[in-house]
């Protein structure tokens, strides 16, 4: 067991359903943080823990990503994901991927088994097939919310996403994000979640995963903005993340993010009507909440 300190944060998306009791999600997120803590204590690296956590978030069907995804305006499930390894600077991404259980595993395969960073649409699916990734036989029975989004989804880009950021015992940072995007999106619409620097970023400074109205997160390059504020402006993680979220709000968007820095600090600011989030702090304290 490593004695070195580590920390992490995860999110289950910005935005909340009024009156919904999030007790199940909070217990689930806490369990994932505990599992990630045990993996880190045993010496697992940041990238593996971030990916494993996002795979579990996707598979739960509790959040608007992976099995819990919402369809686009044509009733088709097009999912986005990306990840970045701060230690190596490598990144992988899939956009508008159809037919696979875990978009984050497809993104990892792009990073590790192609010379590319991002694959989209048909090409992404064709590649995922060659990697033996698990396919979805029947979307109507696979997706836990199938049918629930058809009638009257709320206006103004309502959202849901999952993500995880990790600082491991060796000081390595990693970030991973996976989403179905915004409800009722146009076919082919791609948000921030698979865009390196917008929906996720990790380098030697910070690891960031975002959630919210992706159009605004792309326009303000939120994830890399946080790291660059720290690197080039000397800001703290708390100050850099707060400023980046204020930039989104200043344009009229909403959302939040989770971040860790190389010292293990954790920040989870948001400017939205809710955020499902959990964290392990360097002193071993765990928090999990949703509202
Ligand atoms: N940011 C995601 C997107 O715009 C949605 C979300 O975070 O809920 O695709």
């Amino acid at each position: 067991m490593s004695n070195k300190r580590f920390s992490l944060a995860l999110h289950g998306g910005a935005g909340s359903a009024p009156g919904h009791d999030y007790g199940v999600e909070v217990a689930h997120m806490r369990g994932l943080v505990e599992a990630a803590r045990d993996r880190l204590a045993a010496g697992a690296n940041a990238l593996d823990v971030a990916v494993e956590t996002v795979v579990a978030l996707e598979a739960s069907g509790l959040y608007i990503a992976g099995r819990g995804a919402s369809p686009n305006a044509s009733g088709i499930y097009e999912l986005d994901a990306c990840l970045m390894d701060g230690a190596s600077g490598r990144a992988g991404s899939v956009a508008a991927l159809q037919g696979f259980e875990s978009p984050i595993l497809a993104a990892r395969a792009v990073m590790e088994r192609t010379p590319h960073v991002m694959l989209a649409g048909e090409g992404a699916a064709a590649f995922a097939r060659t990697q033996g990734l698990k396919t979805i036989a029947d979307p109507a029975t696979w997706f836990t919310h199938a049918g629930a989004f058809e009638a009257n989804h709320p206006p103004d880009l309502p959202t849901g996403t999952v993500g995880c950021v990790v600082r491991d015992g060796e000081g390595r940072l990693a970030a991973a994000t996976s989403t179905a995007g915004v409800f009722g999106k146009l076919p082919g619409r791609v948000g921030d979640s698979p865009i390196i620097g917008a929906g996720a970023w990790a380098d030697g400074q910070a690891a960031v995963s975002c959630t919210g109205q992706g159009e605004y997160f792309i326009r303000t390059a939120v994830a890399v903005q946080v790291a660059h504020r720290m690197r080039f402006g000397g800001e703290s993680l708390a100050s850099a993340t707060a400023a980046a979220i204020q930039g989104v709000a200043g344009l009229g968007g909403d959302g939040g993010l989770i971040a860790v820095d190389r010292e293990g600090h954790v920040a989870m600011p948001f400017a939205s009507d809710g955020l499902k989030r959990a964290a392990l702090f360097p002193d071993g304290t765990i928090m999990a909440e949703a509202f």
Side-chain angles (χ1 to χ4, degrees):
M1 299 266 285
S2 164
N3 292 322
K4 298 183 183 152
R5 301 204 313 173
F6 37 76
S7 57
L8 71 110
L10 64 83
H11 70 78
S16 62
H20 182 81
D21 177 353
Y22 285 104
V24 172
E25 287 85 352
V26 168
H28 182 249
M29 292 189 294
R30 179 176 289 277
L32 291 185
V33 171
E34 289 168 354
R37 173 198 61 199
D38 294 347
R39 291 275 292 132
L40 289 165
N45 72 59
L47 183 69
D48 286 342
V49 173
V51 171
E52 288 163 11
T53 303
V54 168
V55 167
L57 288 161
E58 290 175 334
S60 71
L62 293 172
Y63 316 93
I64 315 299
R67 195 164 188 191
S70 56
N72 65 20
S74 298
I76 306 296
Y77 293 84
E78 292 186 330
L79 308 189
D80 304 327
C82 79
L83 76 174
M84 190 162 187
D85 177 30
S88 65
R90 293 195 306 160
S93 163
V94 290
L97 176 69
Q98 291 182 35
F100 289 85
E101 290 186 9
S102 174
I104 200 67
L105 288 180
R108 184 168 193 169
V110 171
M111 179 178 89
E112 292 180 340
R113 300 184 203 145
T114 80
H116 308 304
V117 165
M118 175 183 265
L119 292 177
E122 270 304 313
F127 167 71
R129 241 171 263 125
T130 68
Q131 300 303 303
L133 297 177
K134 283 192 194 155
T135 55
I136 296 166
D138 180 7
T141 55
W142 171 255
F143 290 104
T144 50
H145 301 144
F149 298 100
E150 279 162 20
N152 297 328
H153 60 75
D156 299 332
L157 304 177
T159 57
T161 288
V162 300
C164 183
V165 293
V166 181
R167 182 221 191 259
D168 69 23
E170 304 297 325
R172 294 171 296 220
L173 301 170
T177 305
S178 179
T179 193
V182 294
F183 297 179
K185 65 187 183 182
L186 291 174
R189 179 267 187 189
V190 172
D192 62 316
S193 305
I195 310 287
I196 306 295
W201 179 262
D203 58 15
Q205 201 80 35
V208 182
S209 171
C210 300
T211 174
Q213 296 171 316
E215 283 71 4
Y216 297 91
F217 283 74
I218 295 171
R219 289 164 60 194
T220 51
V222 168
V224 70
Q225 184 194 142
V226 168
H228 284 185
R229 278 179 176 275
M230 297 175 71
R231 181 181 299 253
F232 301 116
E235 291 187 41
S236 67
L237 184 76
S239 156
T241 55
I245 289 299
Q246 275 162 23
V248 168
L251 290 178
D254 67 43
L257 62 78
I258 54 171
V260 291
D261 70 11
R262 64 181 174 190
E263 268 97 46
H265 299 114
V266 177
M268 296 180 283
F270 63 95
S272 54
D273 54 2
L275 179 65
K276 298 171 262 312
R277 59 185 184 167
L280 168 71
F281 298 95
D283 66 0
T285 309
I286 290 177
M287 68 80 83
E289 62 184 15
F291 43 84

